[in-house]
Amino acid sequence: MPKSNRITAYADIPAKAWNDWKWQLDNRLTTVEDVVRVLNPSQQVIDGMKAVSAQFKLSITPYYANLIDMQSAHCPIRAQAIPSIVEADIVESDMLDPLEEDRDSPVPGLTHRYPDRVLLLITDVCSMYCRHCTRRRLVGQEDRTFDPTFFQQAIDYIANHPEIRDVIISGGDPLMVSNKKLEHVLKSLRAISHVEIIRIGSRLPVVLPMRITPSLIKMMRKYHPIYISTHFNHVKEITPESAKACTMLADGGFPINNQTVLLRGVNDCPHVIKQLNQKLLTIRVRPYYLYQCDLSKGISHFRTSLGRGIQIIEALRGHTSGLAVPTFVVDLPGGGGKVPVMPNYMITRSDDKAVLRNYEGAITVYQEPHRWESICGHDPACEQQRYKSKSGPAMLLARPHTILEPQKRKLNADEKG
Ligand SMILES: *Cc1c(COP(=O)(O)O)cnc(C)c1O
Ligand code: SF4
């Protein structure tokens, strides 16, 4: 960033320091005093920060702080970074672990909820603590970095479960660990032959883009196929720096998928999401999920209705590139997992006809074929495979005469077995 784009407090920092991720980490704003010194907020904001900062950790990188417009009460960067008095409002529906990630955890740091993929948390440290974080119960609470004992247990678990073909490395922020430790993680996973793909979920391309260095890329490339999941929430976060980080990742052969959290006051508007997603495509980032905000503690002010999310998808699908349309998902409280929620495009149907409407509201009759039984389904090998791999309603459709009986709260564990 040219110095001229910097706020006064940072105007004199030499470019070499500013562009060094270690400098950025060493100079994070972690106290109310830091924020006051750099951003000069109003007394009201200061009081709010003081009231909640003991409860939920504060940290902002200088790079991200520099994007904040303190003059605007509606700055989307500010809302994500600066603690606010409303975090003290704990509402009845708030939960510490709304997704029950801990329940589905066979060993510490590993969540195995879906049949063929796991979530592996390798650190609870982030460079910035997002005010809307769903894992607030974990991140930053102890600043527990990489724990070799738990990590080895997780690796053993994955090695002993051949059905796991996809490992999502998350945290905290997994790119907060050193290249050396990250390489150890990647190497350990690649030593397991049934792990087909690795995903790294990191917000650093957005809040600390300097972390994406040539040496990081060079190291990670050795362990392909690796996918990156990142977390842009607003077009203001697409800067020359974050664009460069994504370009380096894309050039390194890492497909980048974005997971936006739908946040009231930040991006709860069709125009804002459309602008964000179109701009993301220009830096080769594909919008993947739009998340309904979870029921974590102290973030109810960020939640909006499911209806708002549907309205956003309605405004995207058909109106702009399909590549710019993410799947809107709600991660069900209680460990129910992700459920996609969409506008209704099918109006009604019979045996031989479906009535569909398009994004413009035009209604069309689609004639079903006269025969639709699957030809490939007559292959006994295929039949076997279908019986083995399906559970839930997908199994009801695949098998004749099956009744689905959920077992009390043990459902997930049984599905996995
Ligand atoms: C989101 C999530 C995944 C990955 O889900 P995809 O739909 O495959 O991206 C895996 N495990 C857990 C626990 C998750 O929350
Ligand atoms: S980067 Fe992710 S894990 Fe870290 S504070 Fe933000 S939302 Fe939470």
Side-chain angles (χ1 to χ4, degrees):
M1 180 176 292
K3 283 190 190 180
S4 57
N5 290 347
R6 302 227 206 108
I7 57 176
T8 320
Y10 293 134
D12 293 331
I13 309 297
K16 193 161 184 299
W18 185 260
N19 295 319
D20 177 351
W21 68 283
K22 297 209 164 112
W23 183 90
Q24 290 277 338
L25 285 183
D26 289 344
N27 289 279
R28 281 178 288 178
L29 315 183
T30 56
T31 62
V32 174
E33 291 69 40
D34 289 342
V35 176
V36 171
R37 182 172 44 79
V38 170
L39 293 166
N40 192 26
S42 70
Q43 192 57 44
Q44 196 191 355
V45 172
I46 297 172
D47 294 343
M49 282 196 291
K50 283 190 176 152
V52 297
S53 60
Q55 201 176 358
F56 300 113
K57 196 157 177 135
L58 165 66
S59 175
I60 313 170
T61 57
Y63 162 80
Y64 201 71
N66 189 64
L67 301 176
I68 296 176
D69 176 4
M70 250 359 241
Q71 304 309 314
S72 163
H74 304 294
C75 171
I77 309 289
R78 171 180 159 181
Q80 295 181 65
I82 307 269
S84 144
I85 185 74
V86 283
E87 290 178 38
D89 298 341
I90 308 294
V91 303
E92 213 182 316
S93 54
D94 284 4
M95 295 185 259
L96 204 55
D97 178 16
L99 308 182
E100 293 198 13
E101 290 186 325
D102 296 343
R103 176 171 63 84
D104 281 337
S105 183
V107 299
L110 194 79
T111 301
H112 191 180
R113 165 157 313 142
Y114 298 105
D116 65 344
R117 54 213 188 278
V118 289
L119 190 65
L120 172 63
L121 312 183
I122 63 165
T123 172
D124 66 0
V125 180
C126 292
S127 65
M128 170 176 113
Y129 293 110
C130 308
R131 301 328 297 174
H132 56 274
C133 181
T134 189
R135 296 210 189 104
R136 324 182 94 196
R137 73 182 190 285
L138 297 177
V139 299
Q141 292 311 309
E142 295 163 37
D143 275 357
R144 182 165 55 81
T145 47
F146 188 77
D147 181 322
T149 315
F150 288 156
F151 176 70
Q152 197 48 52
Q153 288 175 12
I155 289 294
D156 293 344
Y157 179 91
I158 296 167
N160 290 326
H161 286 77
E163 72 276 18
I164 298 171
R165 40 163 289 287
D166 178 3
V167 176
I168 300 144
I169 307 173
S170 183
D173 202 307
L175 294 185
M176 284 293 279
V177 309
S178 66
N179 287 6
K180 200 166 154 229
K181 285 200 185 112
L182 185 63
E183 176 151 24
H184 173 62
V185 171
L186 296 172
K187 199 181 246 167
S188 308
L189 289 172
R190 273 286 163 251
I192 303 170
S193 60
H194 56 262
V195 173
E196 295 173 1
I197 62 169
I198 296 172
R199 298 191 245 176
I200 297 177
S202 171
R203 205 176 185 202
L204 295 196
V206 187
V207 296
L208 184 65
M210 305 75 182
R211 173 64 180 102
I212 311 304
T213 58
S215 59
L216 175 71
I217 301 275
K218 190 169 166 221
M219 181 279 284
M220 292 199 309
R221 284 187 70 134
K222 291 191 271 174
Y223 304 96
H224 264 316
I226 296 178
Y227 288 69
I228 303 291
S229 297
T230 190
H231 176 177
F232 285 90
N233 286 333
H234 194 279
V235 73
K236 263 190 86 172
E237 293 169 335
I238 305 179
T239 63
E241 288 83 358
S242 60
K244 183 177 166 208
C246 292
T247 299
M248 287 170 71
L249 287 166
D251 285 349
F254 307 95
I256 314 168
N257 289 293
N258 190 59
Q259 316 201 118
T260 294
V261 183
L262 180 56
L263 298 170
R264 187 161 158 258
V266 173
N267 58 18
D268 55 336
C269 155
H271 302 291
V272 170
I273 294 287
K274 190 175 182 178
Q275 205 184 16
L276 168 66
N277 290 357
Q278 289 175 339
K279 191 80 185 276
L280 283 173
L281 291 177
T282 69
I283 59 168
R284 285 182 283 168
V285 177
R286 165 78 155 101
Y288 176 50
Y289 281 143
L290 175 65
Y291 280 98
Q292 174 70 355
C293 186
D294 291 325
L295 301 169
S296 292
K297 248 192 176 139
I299 63 172
S300 58
H301 56 290
F302 278 126
R303 286 173 59 216
T304 183
S305 63
L306 288 175
R308 182 52 60 101
I310 292 174
Q311 181 191 354
I312 289 170
I313 300 302
E314 189 74 77
L316 297 178
R317 174 62 67 196
H319 298 274
T320 188
S321 314
L323 286 172
V325 187
T327 305
F328 177 45
V329 288
V330 46
D331 221 327
L332 293 182
K338 296 181 186 68
V339 173
V341 183
M342 267 206 293
N344 297 325
Y345 292 102
M346 186 172 290
I347 293 175
T348 189
R349 61 184 296 197
S350 69
D351 269 354
D352 68 336
K353 279 183 191 137
V355 181
L356 300 144
R357 60 97 177 172
N358 74 359
Y359 74 101
E360 299 163 303
I363 295 174
T364 306
V365 176
Y366 175 81
Q367 179 68 51
E368 298 271 28
H370 296 302
R371 303 192 60 181
W372 58 81
E373 65 277 23
S374 167
I375 293 163
C376 108
H378 294 302
D379 177 342
C382 166
E383 205 94 323
Q384 276 288 318
Q385 189 55 34
R386 280 200 299 171
Y387 281 26
K388 231 172 41 195
S389 61
K390 295 279 191 303
S391 62
M395 174 186 75
L396 292 183
L397 296 177
R399 286 191 204 182
H401 318 300
T402 305
I403 299 170
L404 187 62
E405 285 181 288
Q407 278 171 308
K408 228 179 159 189
R409 283 273 50 113
K410 280 281 291 166
L411 188 63
N412 279 301
D414 289 346
E415 276 173 16
K416 271 175 235 151

